[in-house]
Amino acid sequence: MHEHDEHARAAPKIGIVLGSGAAWGAAHVGVLQTLEDAGIRISVIVGASSGALIGAGYAAGMSAGELAERLQELRWSSFADWHPSRRWTLFDSSPLHRALAETGRPLDIEDLDRAFGVLAFDIRKRQAVLLRSGSLATALRASIAIPGVLPPIRVNGGILVDGSLGDRDAVRAATDLGADRVIAVRLHSEPGPDASVTVRLLDTISGARLARSRERASSVLQPDVLIRPDTQGMSRWTARDVPRLIASGQVAAEAALPIIHDMVSTFSARD
């Protein structure tokens, strides 16, 4: 066996989970930039809500630097149009299809450069759903669909909404996609703020309580490394603090690098 083949076999397939957090998701870019600069190769990505948007760009082959530039240019109109006449929602998320088409990147999840999964939540079955194939735009629209703000999306017979409700299933989703070791990036204590908004709205609409993931915490698979960028005092719903959020992600990831390098070397030493 050639030396590079032995290295490829010994190195773990690293997955990263990018959690929800609306505009705080910019911190994910800082984390990815630091890992990139440190030579940490990410093979599997799972994203929820804003984490899915960032993860999609990275899985499609964009560098962290390109993502940072794109974030500075993005406007709300890139994802949604004001549409108060729609039932239950204020905005229409269909512009996301157009925005993705204009990038010239793959439009189906299975065609992306890296293994990628999008987390959403099926309000009929009351459970998290991992979208790992099919239309990327449709999957992302489902994952960012906060009821009352953006419309639920129908996929394979399910009615899917905000992926933040499935955050606790993200690490298991990454292992299902082939990750040997998983790094998770969380932008707030769970349940997240956007998850809380979704739960309250769904409770109001359906008149029933969701079977929340915290009620089955014992079955939650924990990440090998947890990174928590500091988002305190930064805007969650506007792009005002994007540069600060990216920097915060870099700082948090840099602090975690010794643990990540140890994780990699320990895995490789098993053989």
Side-chain angles (χ1 to χ4, degrees), residues 54 85 105 126 190 238 259 266:
I54 299 298
S85 63
R105 305 278 178 172
R126 310 280 173 86
E190 297 199 38
T238 73
I259 302 173
T266 301

Side-chain angles (χ1 to χ4, degrees), residues 68-81:
E69 291 179 7
R70 185 63 61 89
L71 277 180
Q72 304 288 349
E73 302 168 355
L74 285 180
R75 298 293 180 270
W76 180 252
S77 59
S78 301
F79 307 104
D81 285 334

Side-chain angles (χ1 to χ4, degrees), residues 184-265:
V185 186
R186 292 180 185 159
L187 305 178
H188 40 64
S189 298
E190 297 199 38
D194 28 356
S196 298
V197 170
T198 302
V199 168
R200 288 197 301 270
L201 284 166
L202 287 175
D203 286 346
T204 300
I205 293 169
S206 67
R209 285 295 190 189
L210 293 174
R212 295 175 180 77
S213 56
R214 66 171 177 265
E215 294 172 355
R216 50 187 173 84
S218 60
S219 67
V220 173
L221 195 62
Q222 299 301 320
D224 296 283
V225 179
L226 177 61
I227 299 175
R228 288 184 180 273
D230 182 8
T231 58
Q232 187 173 1
M234 299 189 209
S235 175
R236 193 169 72 234
W237 303 111
T238 73
R240 181 190 68 205
D241 294 317
V242 163
R244 292 175 60 205
L245 286 161
I246 292 174
S248 179
Q250 291 173 322
V251 169
E254 286 167 4
L257 280 178
I259 302 173
I260 295 172
H261 285 304
D262 183 62
M263 174 187 74
V264 173
S265 61

Side-chain angles (χ1 to χ4, degrees), residues 7 10 16 25 49 85 90 109 111 161 168 173-174 178 195 201-202 208 238 260:
H7 175 74
I16 192 165
S49 197
S85 63
L90 297 176
I109 296 173
D111 295 331
V161 298
R168 284 183 178 268
L201 284 166
L202 287 175
T238 73
I260 295 172

Side-chain angles (χ1 to χ4, degrees), residues 1-268:
M1 182 181 291
H2 295 296
E3 183 178 346
H4 70 275
D5 291 332
E6 292 179 350
H7 175 74
R9 178 176 58 83
K13 183 179 288 188
I14 298 176
I16 192 165
V17 167
L18 305 178
S20 61
W24 288 347
H28 292 313
V29 176
V31 172
L32 293 171
Q33 180 71 72
T34 296
L35 297 180
E36 210 174 80
D37 292 344
I40 304 298
R41 162 74 183 176
I42 301 299
S43 301
V44 176
I45 304 169
V46 172
S49 197
S50 61
L53 294 173
I54 299 298
Y58 203 64
M62 296 178 69
S63 68
E66 289 176 300
L67 283 170
E69 291 179 7
R70 185 63 61 89
L71 277 180
Q72 304 288 349
E73 302 168 355
L74 285 180
R75 298 293 180 270
W76 180 252
S77 59
S78 301
F79 307 104
D81 285 334
W82 173 249
H83 205 314
S85 63
R86 292 182 64 92
R87 187 180 183 186
W88 299 115
T89 66
L90 297 176
F91 296 91
D92 172 20
S93 60
S94 60
L96 189 54
H97 281 276
R98 182 176 65 250
L100 288 179
E102 291 173 352
T103 67
R105 305 278 178 172
L107 299 181
D108 288 326
I109 296 173
E110 60 268 34
D111 295 331
L112 298 175
D113 293 351
R114 292 177 170 89
F116 182 55
V118 178
L119 279 174
F121 193 87
D122 190 329
I123 58 176
R124 277 184 171 168
K125 297 181 179 179
R126 310 280 173 86
Q127 65 184 27
V129 175
L130 178 66
L131 302 172
R132 52 195 298 176
S133 64
S135 168
L136 177 60
T138 297
L140 294 177
R141 289 181 66 198
S143 194
I144 65 173
I146 301 176
V149 180
L150 292 166
I153 303 298
R154 294 180 180 271
V155 179
N156 298 327
I159 300 179
L160 307 187
V161 298
D162 191 4
S164 64
L165 283 168
D167 266 355
R168 284 183 178 268
D169 295 293
V171 175
R172 191 174 302 280
T175 62
D176 288 346
L177 287 172
D180 297 310
R181 295 290 184 267
V182 179
I183 300 168
V185 186
R186 292 180 185 159
L187 305 178
H188 40 64
S189 298
E190 297 199 38
D194 28 356
S196 298
V197 170
T198 302
V199 168
R200 288 197 301 270
L201 284 166
L202 287 175
D203 286 346
T204 300
I205 293 169
S206 67
R209 285 295 190 189
L210 293 174
R212 295 175 180 77
S213 56
R214 66 171 177 265
E215 294 172 355
R216 50 187 173 84
S218 60
S219 67
V220 173
L221 195 62
Q222 299 301 320
D224 296 283
V225 179
L226 177 61
I227 299 175
R228 288 184 180 273
D230 182 8
T231 58
Q232 187 173 1
M234 299 189 209
S235 175
R236 193 169 72 234
W237 303 111
T238 73
R240 181 190 68 205
D241 294 317
V242 163
R244 292 175 60 205
L245 286 161
I246 292 174
S248 179
Q250 291 173 322
V251 169
E254 286 167 4
L257 280 178
I259 302 173
I260 295 172
H261 285 304
D262 183 62
M263 174 187 74
V264 173
S265 61
T266 301
F267 182 92
S268 300

